[in-house]
């Protein structure tokens, strides 16, 4: 798990000050379903609580429904849809 801590309030979202963002939380495919993701996020939540951080962002790739359900069970909810284009649209 890799977490970025943002010291100042966000200018778009009512996040409070400070807030955190999980940039990466990865469990190897063969290791999934054993509670490792839960344990990783428990450590993240415990550390953020120690620091007084109550707002957490986590991005989920479109179509990764299992991850989204996992995070929603942890109290997170969708707040934004991010769109992407790869390459020159004029070709």
């Amino acid at each position: 798990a890799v977490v970025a801590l943002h010291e100042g309030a966000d200018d778009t979202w009512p996040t409070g000050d400070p807030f955190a963002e999980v940039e990466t939380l990865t469990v190897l495919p063969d290791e999934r379903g054993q509670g490792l993701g839960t344990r990783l996020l428990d450590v993240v939540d415990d550390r953020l609580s120690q620091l007084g951080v109550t707002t957490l962002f986590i991005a989920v790739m479109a179509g990764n429904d299992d991850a989204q359900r996992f995070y929603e069970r942890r109290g997170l909810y969708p707040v934004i849809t991010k769109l992407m284009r790869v390459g020159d649209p004029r070709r």
Side-chain angles (χ1 to χ4, degrees):
V2 176
V3 180
L5 184 61
H6 302 276
E7 295 295 334
D10 186 89
D11 61 352
T12 303
W13 307 100
T15 60
D17 181 22
F19 67 97
E21 182 173 4
V22 172
E23 294 183 346
T24 302
L25 191 142
T26 304
V27 175
L28 293 171
D30 291 345
E31 304 296 323
R32 292 180 185 152
Q34 299 180 43
L36 296 175
T38 296
R39 290 184 3 221
L40 283 169
L41 206 49
D42 284 346
V43 170
V44 168
D45 285 339
D46 288 347
R47 183 64 179 133
L48 293 177
S49 179
Q50 291 170 0
L51 296 171
V53 177
T54 60
T55 302
L56 178 65
F57 286 93
I58 298 176
V60 178
M61 296 293 289
N64 192 346
D65 298 332
D66 290 339
Q68 183 165 340
R69 279 190 297 275
F70 170 70
Y71 294 131
E72 287 177 349
R73 285 193 305 268
R74 303 283 304 213
L76 289 100
Y77 54 90
V79 295
I80 188 172
T81 299
K82 193 174 212 176
L83 305 175
M84 181 176 101
R85 173 176 54 220
V86 177
D88 186 341
R90 298 168 285 186
R91 292 182 188 234

